Each structure stands twice: as structure tokens, then as C-alpha cells.
Amino acid sequence: KNQVEQSPQSLIILEGKNCTLQCNYTVSPFSNLRWYKQDTGRGPVSLTIMTFSENTKSNGRYTATLDADTKQSSLHITASQLSDSASYICVVSQSLAGTYKYIFGTGTRLKVLA
Amino acid sequence: EAGVTQFPSHSVIEKGQTVTLRCDPISGHDNLYWYRRVMGKEIKFLLHFVKESKQDESGMPNNRFLAERTGGTYSTLKVQPAELEDSGVYFCASSHQGFRSPLHFGNGTRLTVT
């Protein structure tokens, strides 16, 4: 069964601290993996995309890693800010007959406190 | 560039009534997707349009849901008659062709069926 599991479910950290979010998937055939940030009341916004051959990708204070062998990804947030408070969703794209299907994780809800 | 817009942002209806959700994708995006998130669960796929054609509607829960995309532009999702389990947040997303193109999400329509 194609699944994307994320941990932890929720996380509270102090402003300025670092944190790492985890994503494990069983999606096949794999095309790519994206991390999205979803602010409360808004739609998800793409942070990074990683394909099979990419194992690290950075976007400002966000760094994503991918281990395609173990089917694991992580999102590391450095020097967290209050504005980082959001849900972070791991989305794995499945390639099927020339089209793509997106499998979503349940997300990690991050709260950054002052 | 205007983003994906959804209307209404909230809708509260009684069981048995009809509701129509609207999505205006980013201009030029051929791909349009409908997703739904029920409380505590992951975002789940409903269907995918390429221009005006339904590419994949395997996620539509039953025949009470009807989606259309007029002339390959905006899309509507009609629920008739609504049931309690239809409550959730309905997201629309659009994208260009190609796996590197991210999904651009609207802010969603929160549907409550009482």
C-alpha cells in the first residue's frame, strides 16, 4: 500500500532552536518527494523538491534530505523563527503511465515559541 | 501572478442540501486537482483534470460528487445531496505539466454538513 508517514505528529520548540522532521514512505514507483509548508487557514506551499538522485536540497533555513534506499526523508529547520509555526507536509509523487499521483503525509504541526 | 482562488472559503449546509465549490486555477496551468482533508487525516486525492478532461477521478468517493472544468479554465465541485461525512476542507491545486512543477494550492473551502 502506498503510504507516507511523518513524525513527530507535533513539535514545540523555542525560537532560535533547530529541529528535524521525518518522513518515511512506501510509494512505488517513486518519482519525487516534496516538502510543503501549510500555514493555518492557507493552502500548502512547496518548500523543496527532491528526485531519486538528489540527497540534499536547501531553501534558506530549510534543508531536506532524501535516502531513496531506505525511503526516508527529513526536513531540517535551522534557527527557527516564529513564522515557522505551521504544518509541514511530506508529499511523494508516484509515476504512473506518464502521469503523476501525489500521496500526502498527515503532516507535522510545528509551534515555535518566543 | 494571481494564485489559485477558491470560493466560498466556508460553507455550512444541512444534510441533504447541495453545495457547489469553485476553483479558479493559475492562468495557463493545464493540471487542476481537487483534494479533501477531513479532520485529523491526511490530504486525499479526489480527481485530476488536464485542461477540460478528467485524467483521473479514482478518488471521488461516490456519485454524489460531480466535478466539471468548463473550457479548461475554472472548475466546480458539486456535492448533492451532502452527507455528514462530507465535512472537511476541500483544496484545489493547479500546476504546469512536468514533475518538477509544484502544486499551487488555493486556501481551501471548509465545508461543514450539519
Side-chain angles (χ1 to χ4, degrees):
Chain A
K1 186 180 177 182
N2 293 305
Q3 281 187 310
V4 177
E5 295 185 351
Q6 292 187 242
S7 62
Q9 196 170 35
S10 62
L11 183 62
I12 300 174
I13 62 174
L14 293 176
E15 187 178 16
K17 298 295 186 183
N18 304 335
C19 66
T20 299
L21 315 180
Q22 300 290 344
C23 173
N24 296 342
Y25 62 93
T26 59
V27 177
S28 181
F30 173 87
S31 174
N32 61 76
L33 183 149
R34 282 188 187 272
W35 284 92
Y36 283 82
K37 178 186 179 187
Q38 185 178 14
D39 292 310
T40 302
R42 309 297 295 269
V45 175
S46 177
L47 293 174
T48 65
I49 177 176
M50 305 192 72
T51 60
F52 189 88
S53 59
E54 297 170 312
N55 52 29
T56 303
K57 186 75 70 76
S58 290
N59 177 4
R61 295 179 297 103
Y62 301 105
T63 299
T65 66
L66 174 66
D67 185 333
D69 292 330
T70 61
K71 298 187 177 180
Q72 295 180 323
S73 176
S74 67
L75 180 69
H76 185 76
I77 304 174
T78 303
S80 61
Q81 300 176 357
L82 298 179
S83 58
D84 293 332
S85 295
S87 287
Y88 291 84
I89 303 172
C90 176
V91 183
V92 180
S93 174
Q94 182 186 32
S95 174
L96 291 169
T99 65
Y100 301 95
K101 204 153 190 174
Y102 302 94
I103 315 297
F104 289 70
T106 52
T108 292
R109 187 180 298 274
L110 174 66
K111 179 76 172 175
V112 180
L113 300 178
Chain B
E1 174 182 81
V4 176
T5 57
Q6 291 187 245
F7 182 84
S9 57
H10 293 83
S11 180
V12 181
I13 61 172
E14 292 183 352
K15 176 182 172 180
Q17 290 186 320
T18 298
V19 63
T20 300
L21 314 181
R22 174 170 169 142
C23 168
D24 286 77
I26 292 173
S27 178
H29 281 189
D30 288 341
N31 292 304
L32 187 149
Y33 302 82
W34 283 99
Y35 292 93
R36 176 173 72 176
R37 184 171 198 166
V38 296
M39 189 154 34
K41 302 282 190 178
E42 69 273 23
I43 294 173
K44 284 200 169 172
F45 170 79
L46 294 177
L47 90 160
H48 170 206
F49 284 100
V50 177
K51 297 184 180 178
E52 68 275 8
S53 300
K54 291 177 184 174
Q55 177 77 19
D56 181 356
E57 51 184 327
S58 61
M60 295 287 262
N62 51 59
N63 58 12
R64 295 185 294 104
F65 288 74
L66 175 64
E68 295 179 325
R69 188 178 183 190
T70 306
T73 55
Y74 71 92
S75 176
T76 57
L77 179 65
K78 180 190 285 189
V79 185
Q80 179 183 30
E83 298 288 344
L84 299 179
E85 65 264 25
D86 300 333
S87 296
V89 182
Y90 289 77
F91 288 103
C92 174
S94 70
S95 73
H96 281 301
Q97 294 286 16
F99 74 91
R100 285 204 169 269
S101 298
L103 296 174
H104 295 263
F105 285 84
N107 289 333
T109 293
R110 181 174 295 277
L111 174 64
T112 302
V113 183
T114 62

